[in-house]
mmCIF file of all heavy atoms in Angstrom:
data_model
loop_
_atom_site.group_PDB
_atom_site.id
_atom_site.type_symbol
_atom_site.label_atom_id
_atom_site.label_comp_id
_atom_site.label_asym_id
_atom_site.label_seq_id
_atom_site.Cartn_x
_atom_site.Cartn_y
_atom_site.Cartn_z
ATOM 1 N N PRO A 664 3.815 60.090 36.556
ATOM 2 C CA PRO A 664 4.310 58.743 36.251
ATOM 3 C C PRO A 664 5.746 58.556 36.735
ATOM 4 O O PRO A 664 6.355 59.488 37.262
ATOM 5 C CB PRO A 664 4.234 58.701 34.717
ATOM 6 C CG PRO A 664 4.429 60.125 34.308
ATOM 7 C CD PRO A 664 3.735 60.948 35.356
ATOM 8 N N VAL A 665 6.268 57.352 36.530
ATOM 9 C CA VAL A 665 7.634 57.040 36.943
ATOM 10 C C VAL A 665 8.605 57.661 35.949
ATOM 11 O O VAL A 665 8.466 57.481 34.741
ATOM 12 C CB VAL A 665 7.846 55.515 37.010
ATOM 13 C CG1 VAL A 665 9.297 55.196 37.370
ATOM 14 C CG2 VAL A 665 6.905 54.901 38.032
ATOM 15 N N PRO A 666 9.599 58.409 36.418
ATOM 16 C CA PRO A 666 10.561 59.023 35.494
ATOM 17 C C PRO A 666 11.557 58.007 34.947
ATOM 18 O O PRO A 666 11.810 56.964 35.569
ATOM 19 C CB PRO A 666 11.267 60.067 36.361
ATOM 20 C CG PRO A 666 11.181 59.519 37.745
ATOM 21 C CD PRO A 666 9.863 58.788 37.809
ATOM 22 N N TYR A 667 12.114 58.363 33.799
ATOM 23 C CA TYR A 667 13.160 57.519 33.218
ATOM 24 C C TYR A 667 14.429 57.587 34.057
ATOM 25 O O TYR A 667 15.087 56.583 34.302
ATOM 26 C CB TYR A 667 13.433 57.977 31.781
ATOM 27 C CG TYR A 667 14.616 57.292 31.123
ATOM 28 C CD1 TYR A 667 14.689 55.910 31.061
ATOM 29 C CD2 TYR A 667 15.654 58.033 30.573
ATOM 30 C CE1 TYR A 667 15.757 55.277 30.473
ATOM 31 C CE2 TYR A 667 16.724 57.408 29.969
ATOM 32 C CZ TYR A 667 16.781 56.039 29.913
ATOM 33 O OH TYR A 667 17.853 55.415 29.331
ATOM 34 N N ASN A 668 14.786 58.770 34.503
ATOM 35 C CA ASN A 668 15.897 58.901 35.441
ATOM 36 C C ASN A 668 15.646 60.106 36.334
ATOM 37 O O ASN A 668 14.855 61.001 36.010
ATOM 38 C CB ASN A 668 17.254 59.010 34.731
ATOM 39 C CG ASN A 668 17.294 60.125 33.720
ATOM 40 O OD1 ASN A 668 16.996 61.271 34.029
ATOM 41 N ND2 ASN A 668 17.661 59.797 32.489
ATOM 42 N N VAL A 669 16.312 60.131 37.478
ATOM 43 C CA VAL A 669 16.104 61.204 38.445
ATOM 44 C C VAL A 669 17.402 61.441 39.209
ATOM 45 O O VAL A 669 18.182 60.508 39.451
ATOM 46 C CB VAL A 669 14.948 60.850 39.413
ATOM 47 C CG1 VAL A 669 15.278 59.584 40.213
ATOM 48 C CG2 VAL A 669 14.634 62.012 40.337
ATOM 49 N N THR A 670 17.632 62.716 39.565
ATOM 50 C CA THR A 670 18.832 63.100 40.311
ATOM 51 C C THR A 670 18.429 64.031 41.443
ATOM 52 O O THR A 670 17.612 64.944 41.249
ATOM 53 C CB THR A 670 19.848 63.819 39.408
ATOM 54 O OG1 THR A 670 20.234 62.954 38.345
ATOM 55 C CG2 THR A 670 21.091 64.219 40.195
ATOM 56 N N ILE A 671 18.999 63.814 42.623
ATOM 57 C CA ILE A 671 18.836 64.726 43.758
ATOM 58 C C ILE A 671 20.210 65.321 44.070
ATOM 59 O O ILE A 671 21.187 64.588 44.255
ATOM 60 C CB ILE A 671 18.281 64.001 44.995
ATOM 61 C CG1 ILE A 671 16.894 63.422 44.697
ATOM 62 C CG2 ILE A 671 18.223 64.946 46.187
ATOM 63 C CD1 ILE A 671 16.308 62.641 45.856
ATOM 64 N N ARG A 672 20.238 66.654 44.137
ATOM 65 C CA ARG A 672 21.516 67.333 44.376
ATOM 66 C C ARG A 672 21.361 68.270 45.572
ATOM 67 O O ARG A 672 20.402 69.049 45.655
ATOM 68 C CB ARG A 672 21.941 68.116 43.133
ATOM 69 C CG ARG A 672 23.273 68.839 43.279
ATOM 70 C CD ARG A 672 23.673 69.513 41.985
ATOM 71 N NE ARG A 672 24.073 68.523 40.977
ATOM 72 C CZ ARG A 672 23.338 68.174 39.947
ATOM 73 N NH1 ARG A 672 22.140 68.712 39.757
ATOM 74 N NH2 ARG A 672 23.762 67.279 39.079
ATOM 75 N N LEU A 673 22.314 68.198 46.499
ATOM 76 C CA LEU A 673 22.398 69.121 47.628
ATOM 77 C C LEU A 673 23.635 69.984 47.436
ATOM 78 O O LEU A 673 24.752 69.470 47.273
ATOM 79 C CB LEU A 673 22.509 68.357 48.948
ATOM 80 C CG LEU A 673 21.217 67.858 49.606
ATOM 81 C CD1 LEU A 673 21.565 67.059 50.854
ATOM 82 C CD2 LEU A 673 20.305 69.019 49.957
ATOM 83 N N ARG A 674 23.437 71.324 47.487
ATOM 84 C CA ARG A 674 24.545 72.246 47.237
ATOM 85 C C ARG A 674 24.619 73.263 48.372
ATOM 86 O O ARG A 674 23.634 73.924 48.701
ATOM 87 C CB ARG A 674 24.340 72.962 45.902
ATOM 88 C CG ARG A 674 25.498 73.848 45.494
ATOM 89 C CD ARG A 674 25.265 74.468 44.127
ATOM 90 N NE ARG A 674 24.189 75.449 44.140
ATOM 91 C CZ ARG A 674 22.977 75.267 43.652
ATOM 92 N NH1 ARG A 674 22.654 74.097 43.109
ATOM 93 N NH2 ARG A 674 22.070 76.216 43.690
ATOM 94 N N ALA A 675 25.792 73.372 48.990
ATOM 95 C CA ALA A 675 25.995 74.321 50.083
ATOM 96 C C ALA A 675 26.181 75.729 49.526
ATOM 97 O O ALA A 675 26.917 75.921 48.561
ATOM 98 C CB ALA A 675 27.208 73.913 50.919
ATOM 99 N N ASP A 676 25.494 76.720 50.145
ATOM 100 C CA ASP A 676 25.633 78.092 49.666
ATOM 101 C C ASP A 676 26.972 78.697 50.058
ATOM 102 O O ASP A 676 27.466 79.623 49.421
ATOM 103 C CB ASP A 676 24.485 78.958 50.203
ATOM 104 C CG ASP A 676 24.550 79.125 51.717
ATOM 105 O OD1 ASP A 676 25.094 78.222 52.391
ATOM 106 O OD2 ASP A 676 24.064 80.149 52.227
ATOM 107 N N SER A 677 27.570 78.148 51.130
ATOM 108 C CA SER A 677 28.884 78.596 51.586
ATOM 109 C C SER A 677 29.525 77.437 52.338
ATOM 110 O O SER A 677 28.912 76.385 52.528
ATOM 111 C CB SER A 677 28.756 79.832 52.488
ATOM 112 O OG SER A 677 27.943 79.530 53.614
#
Side-chain angles (χ1 to χ4, degrees):
V665 177
Y667 173 54
N668 55 54
V669 62
T670 300
I671 298 178
R672 181 176 289 105
L673 276 177
R674 185 177 69 255
D676 66 332
S677 59

